[in-house]
Amino acid sequence: MLTSLDSGIVLETPDNVAFDTVHAICITGHREKSIIPFLGVEQHFQLTRATVRIMLYKYIEMAVAKGYTDFFSGLAEGTDLWAAEYLLIKKQKNSNIRLFGAMPYLKHSKSFSSESHRLLCEVEKGADSVILLNSDPDANYGRNPDVYRKRNYFMVDNASAVLGFFNERESHSGTAQTINYARKKGKTVNSFSMDDVHDIMDRAELDWDRICALVKDINNVF
């Protein structure tokens, strides 16, 4: 029995958890370093980051409205943990929602910021299950370069759709790998990009209340 090095929870093996694949969705997306501030102006970074997050929450809301109940998070910094944090809030009011964490290997969070470590612990403790995909306690990306690919493919294989924050120009990212694999497997893929975020901000003229209103009015893409 292995436990998380972050939260101490007991980790599950892939064959010990049952998923409702038809109603399951894989969440994928970039880390914070991929967020480009509006017009390249650093002063707009926080507002841009906030807009990315509410766009992500809107896509989760759309997925829930279409009947998706099982959500996979890859537990990476940025999109994965932001989505998982929001789903923990959703779970408090909707008992049908289940959150599954897909952990690539035990030491995956070694380089996380202190804030991401705190959030990771919160997510792990609140998730329905956290599945460890490489049980070797000494596994690491340098020694096992396929750990993230296996994590990404596992989530896609056990879901019928993918929800993502994806910039097409970042074609060599883990997010691109996940989405390309999902498309190859004929999964439903719905994502928004940095361009979509900047478009919302532009139309709202950087007014937060107008940004929120525009995001709220996005038609359900699922």
Side-chain angles (χ1 to χ4, degrees):
M1 181 179 70
L2 291 173
T3 58
S4 167
L5 300 179
D6 296 285
S7 67
I9 66 162
V10 174
L11 301 171
E12 302 285 355
T13 57
D15 58 356
N16 200 36
V17 183
F19 310 112
D20 180 2
T21 303
V22 173
H23 298 102
I25 191 163
C26 160
I27 297 172
T28 188
H30 303 297
R31 293 168 173 80
E32 189 168 307
K33 66 181 181 181
S34 293
I35 296 177
I36 302 168
F38 183 69
L39 298 179
V41 178
E42 193 60 33
Q43 285 178 304
H44 297 325
F45 178 78
Q46 292 301 328
L47 184 61
T48 307
R49 179 178 180 269
T51 305
V52 168
R53 292 185 68 154
I54 65 165
M55 286 278 284
L56 176 63
Y57 303 158
K58 174 64 177 181
Y59 271 64
I60 291 172
E61 292 288 352
M62 291 191 288
V64 171
K66 284 297 181 179
Y68 291 99
T69 56
D70 288 11
F71 291 81
F72 286 99
S73 167
L75 303 179
E77 290 185 287
T79 301
D80 289 8
L81 287 179
W82 296 336
E85 180 183 35
Y86 188 70
L87 283 160
L88 291 183
I89 297 171
K90 294 290 294 179
K91 277 169 56 66
Q92 293 175 11
K93 296 182 179 180
N94 187 339
S95 60
N96 293 321
I97 290 176
R98 298 195 297 172
L99 173 62
F100 297 99
M103 183 183 289
Y105 59 101
L106 275 171
K107 299 177 182 178
H108 76 110
S109 63
K110 187 175 181 180
S111 63
F112 278 21
S113 68
S114 58
E115 171 59 22
S116 292
H117 268 117
R118 181 201 63 77
L119 182 53
L120 177 63
C121 289
E122 179 182 325
V123 167
E124 288 185 356
K125 290 176 181 177
D128 291 87
S129 296
V130 176
I131 301 106
L132 179 63
L133 298 172
N134 186 319
S135 59
D136 179 358
D138 296 318
N140 60 67
Y141 180 63
R143 175 180 168 183
N144 310 90
D146 63 345
V147 285
Y148 292 110
R149 176 181 59 81
K150 288 184 176 180
R151 186 270 314 277
N152 297 338
Y153 285 13
F154 169 80
M155 293 192 297
V156 171
D157 287 340
N158 287 284
S160 62
V162 171
L163 179 167
F165 165 43
F166 176 45
N167 299 319
E168 293 279 355
R169 56 185 167 272
E170 296 191 51
S171 58
H172 297 294
S173 65
T175 301
Q177 180 186 72
T178 304
I179 286 179
N180 289 336
Y181 180 69
R183 287 171 175 164
K184 180 181 177 182
K185 291 294 184 177
K187 310 285 184 172
T188 297
V189 176
N190 284 308
S191 64
F192 65 94
S193 68
M194 203 72 256
D195 290 340
D196 296 321
V197 170
H198 288 167
D199 178 64
I200 291 279
M201 296 176 71
D202 184 43
R203 287 193 284 136
E205 298 179 334
L206 304 184
D207 180 87
W208 178 245
D209 289 339
R210 292 177 65 186
I211 288 171
C212 293
L214 287 171
V215 171
K216 184 178 179 180
D217 287 342
I218 296 174
N219 290 327
N220 198 323
V221 296
F222 286 93

